[in-house]
Amino acid sequence: MRRIAACSLLLPCVLLFACGTGTAESSSGSAWADRSPTGHMALEYAEEFSVDYYGKDALITIAGKDQYLLVPEDETPPAGVDDSITILQQPLDNLYVAASSAMDLFDGIGALDSVHMTSTAETGWSLPNVQSAMENGTLEYAGKYSAPDYEAILSGGCELAVESTMIYHSPEIREKLETLGIPVLVEHSSYESHPLGRMEWIKLYGLLLGKTEAAESFFQAQSRKLDDICTGESTGKTVAFFYISSNGSVNVRKPGDYISKMIELAGGQYIFSADDLNVEENALSTMNIQMEAFYAGAKDADYLIYNSTIDGAVSTIDQLLQKSPLLADFAAVQSGNVWCTEQNMFQQTTGAADMIADLHAVVTGEADGKTQLTYLHRVQ
């Protein structure tokens, strides 16, 4: 059974894995090797995590490798759990969240009060409730993911660090946090190919924080929004989703990632195929191509959508052409069918249904004459 060792050199961490005395239904005295699953969490779209129930305990598996055994408050973990499985003892109500896309999911189940620290400074947030929490001090900046303030995290009584896959580029950070007694959960929602798969991670966070009903209710309500949109019928309209980097290359989404899936669900067609881009096999959902290749592939696209998240928003065609005069030849520029994302699009993971609705309005022509949608504005 894997328990995270505490470090005596820094401020003492709260006791993370306190075990109760158990009840008649407790797992105490029950060896892990003798137990079998009693059920599974029902998932409709998510493929990057799974949950197997062992009575009151829940075995969480992420990306087919990292495993966590969630044990309810006042229950005793079973004996003989493999060292590769991290024990998480509820309640978990003091989190450090270094995965910005996960924050909106905590907000969606009304659990921001369980998140006390983040790796994104106040100026980096576009989510109103997160901004308010940072303003009133209930949520504090504790250093970026690659340089966390270990002493602040420990003195704040952190019980779990939720990291994005960027932590794989700094493995020493994860190792240090675990050495200090803080378990690390690396979330993979960005790897989900279906946009509702990303949002379905809300069920995992609901499980961790004892808000399973709220998570299920929220997810089902968002899913129902798509019933009238995702008819499976295509408009045949092609869409390019991109931004232009400072060195002049064009960053595009890979075919099959959740953005291209959103376009498809909305009734559009993502302009690039895997063959067009010669897609490399890696975990990234985007890739850079030369402007010449983008010109050849997207010149005749019916719609252009500029991604403002990295490079900043564009409001006018003149601003767009400053990034590359070649865009003047594009059919979408000439027809006025250029849109730009709002800054909150990628942080607001719970907005997947509304984003698909925006894309649907664009490709069906329902947005004609409009300058502003929920997550998109027209470049004029």
Side-chain angles (χ1 to χ4, degrees):
M1 178 170 58
R2 185 184 182 195
R3 295 176 183 267
I4 310 298
C7 176
S8 61
L9 300 179
L10 296 177
L11 294 172
C13 186
V14 295
L15 184 60
L16 300 178
F17 307 119
C19 298
T21 57
T23 65
E25 297 179 336
S26 172
S27 58
S28 60
S30 174
W32 179 247
D34 297 332
R35 302 179 68 188
S36 300
T38 56
H40 313 277
M41 177 181 285
L43 297 173
E44 298 178 47
Y45 301 98
E47 298 178 342
E48 291 293 322
F49 81 92
S50 63
V51 178
D52 297 311
Y53 297 109
Y54 289 76
K56 293 184 176 181
D57 299 337
L59 181 66
I60 300 163
T61 303
I62 295 179
K65 52 182 180 179
D66 291 344
Q67 291 192 303
Y68 307 82
L69 186 64
L70 183 67
V71 180
E73 185 177 8
D74 297 328
E75 294 291 322
T76 302
V81 176
D82 190 271
D83 288 342
S84 64
I85 300 175
T86 299
I87 301 295
L88 300 177
Q89 184 90 48
Q90 291 177 313
L92 298 169
D93 52 15
N94 192 336
L95 276 57
Y96 165 60
V97 175
S100 60
S101 62
M103 193 70 80
D104 191 45
L105 300 177
F106 288 108
D107 190 19
I109 55 174
L112 274 186
D113 58 350
S114 295
V115 182
H116 293 185
M117 289 163 281
T118 175
S119 66
T120 302
E122 183 176 344
T123 55
W125 288 107
S126 59
L127 303 175
N129 289 344
V130 176
Q131 291 173 330
S132 296
M134 297 202 77
E135 288 173 3
N136 63 35
T138 58
L139 178 63
E140 297 183 351
Y141 176 64
K144 60 188 298 186
Y145 83 92
S146 58
D149 185 337
Y150 296 111
E151 194 160 333
I153 292 172
L154 278 174
S155 63
C158 177
E159 296 167 332
L160 177 66
V162 179
E163 299 275 357
S164 76
T165 55
M166 293 297 291
I167 199 68
Y168 291 143
H169 298 292
S170 303
E172 71 281 2
I173 304 298
R174 179 177 185 174
E175 181 179 353
K176 180 70 171 180
L177 287 168
E178 292 179 337
T179 299
L180 296 176
I182 301 172
V184 176
L185 186 151
V186 183
E187 72 103 53
H188 281 63
S189 66
S190 62
Y191 285 44
E192 300 287 357
S193 60
H194 197 292
L196 293 188
R198 295 182 76 227
M199 190 170 63
E200 199 164 19
W201 279 68
I202 199 169
K203 294 181 181 180
L204 175 59
Y205 300 128
L207 173 68
L208 290 173
L209 302 183
K211 294 180 176 288
T212 54
E213 291 185 7
E216 182 66 32
S217 176
F218 186 96
F219 180 78
Q220 293 303 326
Q222 293 298 310
S223 297
R224 284 194 294 271
K225 288 184 178 182
L226 298 182
D227 289 346
D228 296 330
I229 296 174
C230 301
T231 62
E233 297 181 4
S234 174
T235 62
K237 299 296 184 180
T238 53
V239 180
F241 192 101
F242 72 105
Y243 72 84
I244 299 176
S245 65
S246 58
N247 64 9
S249 64
V250 184
N251 183 274
V252 298
R253 310 299 299 197
K254 289 182 178 178
D257 98 309
Y258 71 92
I259 293 293
S260 60
K261 184 66 174 179
M262 280 184 173
I263 293 170
E264 177 186 327
L265 291 171
Q269 179 183 336
Y270 186 57
I271 193 66
F272 293 109
S273 68
D275 290 338
D276 293 332
L277 297 178
N278 190 24
V279 176
E280 298 178 4
E281 291 294 332
N282 59 40
L284 298 177
S285 58
T286 65
M287 62 183 295
N288 291 322
I289 61 176
Q290 295 303 308
M291 174 53 74
E292 290 79 4
F294 183 71
Y295 184 97
K299 178 177 179 291
D300 296 325
D302 295 302
Y303 297 94
L304 296 181
I305 298 179
Y306 194 81
N307 179 8
S308 70
T309 308
I310 304 297
D311 192 47
V314 294
S315 300
T316 67
I317 294 297
D318 285 343
Q319 291 175 342
L320 183 67
L321 296 183
Q322 287 175 13
K323 296 180 180 296
S324 175
L326 288 175
L327 293 171
D329 294 339
F330 282 53
V333 173
Q334 296 175 2
S335 62
N337 288 324
V338 183
W339 294 80
C340 182
T341 68
E342 299 296 344
Q343 290 287 303
N344 61 344
M345 175 182 162
F346 289 98
Q347 286 186 355
Q348 199 148 5
T349 311
T350 58
D354 293 325
M355 181 61 193
I356 294 171
D358 277 5
L359 291 168
H360 180 73
V362 168
V363 300
T364 59
E366 294 176 11
D368 291 354
K370 297 181 180 180
T371 60
Q372 184 69 54
L373 300 174
T374 304
Y375 292 108
L376 299 172
H377 65 261
R378 188 184 292 277
V379 179
Q380 298 179 302

